Amino acid sequence: MNGGRRLAGATVVLAVLAVPPWLLTTLTRAHLPGWPTSAQLRDWLTDPLTPATLTTGLIAVAWLLWLGMAYTVTVTAARRLRAGARWVRHLPLPTPWQAAATSIAGAAALTTAHTPSTHPPNPPTPVTADELQHPSATPQTEQGGVVVPGGWIPDDTAHHVAAAAALVWLRRRRAHQPGQPDTDATQLTPLPTTVTAVQAAIADQPPPPAATTTGAMQAPLPPAHLCLAGDGADHAARGLLVTRLLTALRDSADTIPVIVTSNALARLLPSVAETAAGIPGLHVVDALEQAVGLLPASSMSSTADCGMPSLVLTAEPATAAPLNLPGARVVTLDAGARLPTWRVDRHGHSVDHQTGQPRPRMCVLDGTAAADLLAVLAQPTTAAPDPAASAPARPINRAQAKIPRQASRIPPPTPRRPTEAAATAVQLRVLGRPALLIDSKEVTIRRSAALQILVFLAVHPDGATTTQLVHALWPGLPAHTVTGRLYTTLSDLRSTVRATSADQVVVHTEDRYHLDLRTDVDLWRLLAAAHHSATTDAPGSWQAVIDAYTGDLAAGHTWPWIDPPREATRRLILDAHTTAAAAQTDPHEHLRLLQAAIRIDPYNQQLHQLAADQLNALGDSAAAADLLHTHRQRLRVAGILDQPMITAR
């Protein structure tokens, strides 16, 4: 039926296009013998309305009508042909391999007996919402390593960076003196961008196994003395230096991991030349000959390596004698050195210059990235104070801001009095395990990034811009590449909340995102209680601050941005315990408050000394000695027992 209609329609179209011009040509041939002559034009101008001119005009109008009809039919047909061609072009046709596979499968289906299977199908692999919407949830990671701004870091080195960053915060926790104002502004300074990018890339990833086959260099040093060349030679030299220092961070016996000549340091890291003395394990010499006196005598006595060898890094022309350093690996940037040469590109891919064989991929870092990583290795030079000389706790500085705030046009939430009951149906808990509750029922948040946003906005009640949120959640990535991910996460969060409540949690005002001020946030109530206690000095008011603290900020999460506000919140509650203890007249209650503070931060040295002094005052010297011994053991296990720390004295 459709074919007949289409044939009839095509016949009508052809008839309309062909019959009128044939008729006009046949019937008007006598009236239009040819183009008019000049005499005929003069006669027409003298008398235009003659039967001949009127007939000619009618014939011209008939041709114009036919041309218009033919144009319309042609355009319509062409449009339909283009639509059909577009549909055919987008039709998914099978490839030759697919056609062959389909034929084989069809033949097998026809020739194979249909036997019912007694085994149930495999269950589907669970996929999170983040993985479903964003298959490249962590684009800064790749096989065997982590891509950071300015370089590439192998997996094992990245985990060493994360461990070094954790030690930075442990040293800061150990050095803090509760009850006294912080005089060092760097104690709550966030770690450098490269470090946070590494932390974000390996978050929730287990350390790599000891033996992998990713093609990256597994040992932090090359197998023998080496000369580096190529566009990435300097980047690879920085990578070797940083990697060797990171591996020696936890080994107290590894006292001389890196020896670098001053000219090589000035070439590779001019920004850290003045602060190199504060980097443990890094020794700067003026000439390569001085490295002989720094190496351990045991390693110089034989050609066998004693443990992991030291790294000797130089850029000056080297003679044959200084290169013979048993127990060390000499890496030079001198193109004329008589050593095996590896050519390295800026991505860390290396090739043996003599044989052309590929070599393991090396850690590569530009000057900024290397300086950022060395910053977490640098330790303060101030010696630890004598515990016996600890001064009694002083009241905290009431005007001191414990939680970093951003300057904004949106006013922060009005502090609640600690005794006020929360009338809102939306509650956000960020102290301890984060949770969003609506009508006392916890809401399932499908995206980890959405949970991060809620905690970040709780820490910054005056709001954050799109750029600030993107840099916090996905450090090291260009903001424009992940802005869409932020919008998708916020949209999903709003949809989740809208399904259970008409209230909003995250609102957008004046280009800033912030929590709805009607939301009950436990962190805000803690700050309100601290503000109330600082302004009233009422007896026992600091107990309300202690009661409002239910755990570390976002406990269990290792987001790169969380450490500064988490440590600031911890210091606020430690100061509350210490101040409340100092106001106690009952020595046993004094000791109880100090012990409660130690349970919150078992690494703080000042708290342990104050508690030990109180135990000695109560006549329990054995308990005091056991407390200090346990603290020293904990510091030894963490690797910060013998490291110096900054004090506020």
Side-chain angles (χ1 to χ4, degrees):
M1 184 65 67
N2 290 335
R5 289 181 179 179
R6 291 178 181 177
L7 180 60
T11 303
V12 171
V13 170
L14 290 176
V16 170
L17 292 177
V19 172
W22 177 77
L23 290 175
L24 289 174
T25 303
T26 303
L27 298 176
T28 62
R29 183 179 301 170
H31 298 279
L32 297 175
W35 291 99
T37 63
S38 57
Q40 291 174 337
L41 288 175
R42 284 195 299 271
D43 293 341
W44 178 77
L45 291 175
T46 303
D47 188 8
L49 298 178
T50 62
T53 57
L54 291 176
T55 302
T56 303
L58 291 175
I59 294 172
V61 170
W63 278 105
L64 290 176
L65 290 175
W66 177 84
L67 288 174
M69 182 178 57
Y71 173 78
T72 303
V73 171
T74 303
V75 170
T76 302
R79 185 180 299 112
R80 292 182 178 179
L81 288 175
R82 279 199 304 269
R86 190 161 49 245
W87 176 81
V88 172
R89 187 166 56 250
H90 291 288
L91 183 65
L93 299 177
T95 64
W97 286 105
Q98 292 172 334
T102 304
S103 302
I104 295 173
L110 292 175
T111 58
T112 304
H114 294 278
T115 303
S117 175
T118 59
H119 300 284
N122 293 328
T125 303
V127 180
T128 63
D130 284 329
E131 294 171 344
L132 183 62
Q133 297 293 336
H134 307 288
S136 57
T138 55
Q140 68 269 45
T141 61
E142 63 178 35
Q143 180 67 23
V146 176
V147 178
V148 297
W152 179 85
I153 302 176
D155 278 338
D156 53 350
T157 304
H159 285 275
H160 284 307
V161 171
L167 289 181
V168 171
W169 289 106
L170 286 181
R171 289 197 298 266
R172 293 177 178 182
R173 291 172 61 177
R174 174 197 175 196
H176 174 61
Q177 297 189 14
Q180 301 184 18
D182 291 331
T183 59
D184 186 1
T186 64
Q187 287 291 287
L188 295 178
T189 302
L191 298 181
T193 304
T194 306
V195 179
T196 57
V198 172
Q199 290 177 305
I202 66 172
D204 303 326
Q205 291 185 9
T212 58
T213 58
T214 59
M217 182 180 293
Q218 300 305 314
L221 294 177
H225 300 332
L226 187 66
C227 175
L228 297 177
D231 295 338
D234 289 3
H235 292 63
R238 297 187 195 97
L240 283 173
L241 185 148
V242 172
T243 302
R244 183 65 184 91
L245 291 174
L246 284 170
T247 56
L249 183 62
R250 286 182 171 269
D251 189 358
S252 58
D254 200 355
T255 57
I256 309 179
V258 176
I259 300 173
V260 59
T261 58
S262 55
N263 63 340
L265 186 63
R267 170 177 169 176
L268 299 175
L269 295 165
S271 60
V272 301
E274 297 181 356
T275 60
I279 301 176
L282 180 61
H283 302 267
V284 183
V285 296
D286 293 330
L288 193 60
E289 290 78 2
Q290 298 176 356
V292 178
L294 292 176
L295 292 173
S298 58
S299 65
M300 297 295 295
S301 60
S302 65
T303 58
D305 292 341
C306 182
M308 184 176 293
S310 299
L311 170 65
V312 178
L313 186 60
T314 180
E316 63 183 2
T319 61
L323 293 180
N324 186 18
L325 299 175
R329 293 282 190 270
V330 178
V331 176
T332 179
L333 300 173
D334 174 31
R338 297 180 178 274
L339 289 174
T341 302
W342 287 6
R343 301 196 66 84
V344 189
D345 62 16
R346 290 183 177 269
H347 301 288
H349 301 288
S350 60
V351 176
D352 192 311
H353 182 64
Q354 284 73 24
T355 64
Q357 296 295 322
R359 294 302 180 187
R361 190 175 184 182
M362 304 181 68
C363 175
V364 284
L365 300 168
D366 65 6
T368 302
D372 286 351
L373 298 183
L374 289 176
V376 301
L377 296 175
Q379 298 175 2
T381 56
T382 305
D386 183 6
S390 298
R394 300 194 301 267
I396 65 172
N397 185 359
R398 311 299 191 189
Q400 186 180 11
K402 289 298 181 182
I403 303 294
R405 299 290 180 88
Q406 301 170 350
S408 171
R409 294 160 291 181
I410 301 177
T414 303
R416 300 171 182 259
R417 296 181 61 87
T419 57
E420 291 182 1
T424 180
V426 181
Q427 299 174 314
L428 179 60
R429 301 289 176 261
V430 297
L431 298 176
R433 185 182 67 86
L436 177 65
L437 298 93
I438 297 180
D439 294 330
S440 301
K441 296 181 179 179
E442 184 172 349
V443 177
T444 301
I445 300 177
R446 294 175 291 183
R447 295 174 179 266
S448 60
L451 187 63
Q452 275 200 75
I453 292 174
L454 291 176
V455 179
F456 187 87
L457 295 180
V459 173
H460 302 84
D462 45 357
T465 64
T466 299
T467 302
Q468 290 169 338
L469 284 173
V470 166
H471 286 169
L473 270 64
W474 299 286
L477 295 179
H480 67 276
T481 63
V482 288
T483 301
R485 191 186 307 174
L486 174 66
Y487 295 153
T488 304
T489 302
L490 289 170
S491 177
D492 182 80
L493 177 61
R494 292 193 182 100
S495 300
T496 302
V497 174
R498 195 181 302 116
T500 56
S501 174
D503 296 331
Q504 297 186 30
V505 178
V506 178
V507 295
H508 189 257
T509 308
E510 298 184 2
D511 298 330
R512 298 180 73 86
Y513 294 96
H514 60 92
L515 295 179
D516 192 320
L517 300 185
R518 297 171 297 178
T519 305
D520 175 30
V521 184
D522 55 354
L523 177 62
W524 295 357
R525 285 191 277 107
L526 173 67
L527 297 177
H531 175 77
H532 174 71
S533 300
T535 54
T536 60
D537 284 329
S541 60
W542 286 104
Q543 186 61 43
V545 181
I546 297 173
D547 295 338
Y549 185 79
T550 56
D552 286 343
L553 180 65
H557 292 278
T558 57
W559 304 321
W561 60 269
I562 196 66
D563 285 316
R566 176 182 288 163
E567 179 61 17
T569 309
R570 185 186 293 115
R571 292 188 178 192
L572 174 63
I573 196 65
L574 293 183
D575 290 351
H577 278 84
T578 309
T579 304
Q584 286 292 330
T585 57
D586 183 358
H588 295 280
E589 183 65 16
H590 186 145
L591 178 62
R592 186 193 66 80
L593 288 169
L594 292 177
Q595 290 173 333
I598 289 175
R599 285 191 291 271
I600 295 175
D601 190 355
Y603 294 95
N604 187 270
Q605 181 164 328
Q606 176 80 356
L607 288 175
H608 283 80
Q609 187 58 50
L610 291 175
D613 292 343
Q614 188 65 21
L615 286 171
N616 286 324
L618 292 173
D620 196 348
S621 57
D626 182 67
L627 178 67
L628 294 179
H629 174 73
T630 303
H631 179 240
R632 290 180 61 85
Q633 289 296 107
R634 183 176 291 109
L635 296 181
R636 179 178 291 106
V637 171
I640 58 174
L641 175 62
D642 299 323
Q643 296 179 358
M645 67 180 188
I646 296 177
T647 66
R649 301 186 186 279

